[in-house]
Amino acid sequence: MASCQADTPVGVSFDTAFSGTEYKATNLNLDSIKTACNGLDYKVTLTNAEGTVLGTEATGKVSGTSLSIPLTDVSAKDVANVAVVIHS
């Protein structure tokens, strides 16, 4: 099966808020998602530089060309990698 996203990378950004003594990533924003991906499932995992998973895997359905995924208790300074899978 061909990828709905093909050669176009998904854009990644974060919303942050200061909490306690550090900034927390409160939302993961994905953009530049091709319309061919609409209705497909997604999985997103955040990891630190050592590959340890931060928070919990986010899952859902793609609806549109961008997504805003709420995050819980993820230290912004620890996020090194974002893995996104869009699948049927």
Side-chain angles (χ1 to χ4, degrees):
M1 176 177 176
S3 169
C4 66
Q5 193 66 22
D7 295 330
T8 304
V10 173
V12 175
S13 65
F14 292 92
D15 295 330
T16 58
F18 195 75
S19 177
T21 60
E22 66 180 344
Y23 279 94
K24 299 282 187 171
T26 56
N27 283 300
L28 170 64
N29 303 303
L30 304 177
D31 61 27
S32 302
I33 300 170
K34 291 195 170 187
T35 57
C37 297
N38 279 323
L40 297 179
D41 295 320
Y42 69 82
K43 292 181 185 180
V44 177
T45 301
L46 307 176
T47 62
N48 64 15
E50 291 77 34
T52 302
V53 174
L54 305 172
T56 58
E57 178 182 72
T59 60
K61 287 219 180 271
V62 175
S63 60
T65 59
S66 63
L67 296 169
S68 181
I69 301 165
L71 302 172
T72 303
D73 201 35
V74 175
S75 175
K77 69 179 173 58
D78 291 340
V79 178
N81 302 293
V82 178
V84 179
V85 175
I86 300 173
H87 61 95
S88 57

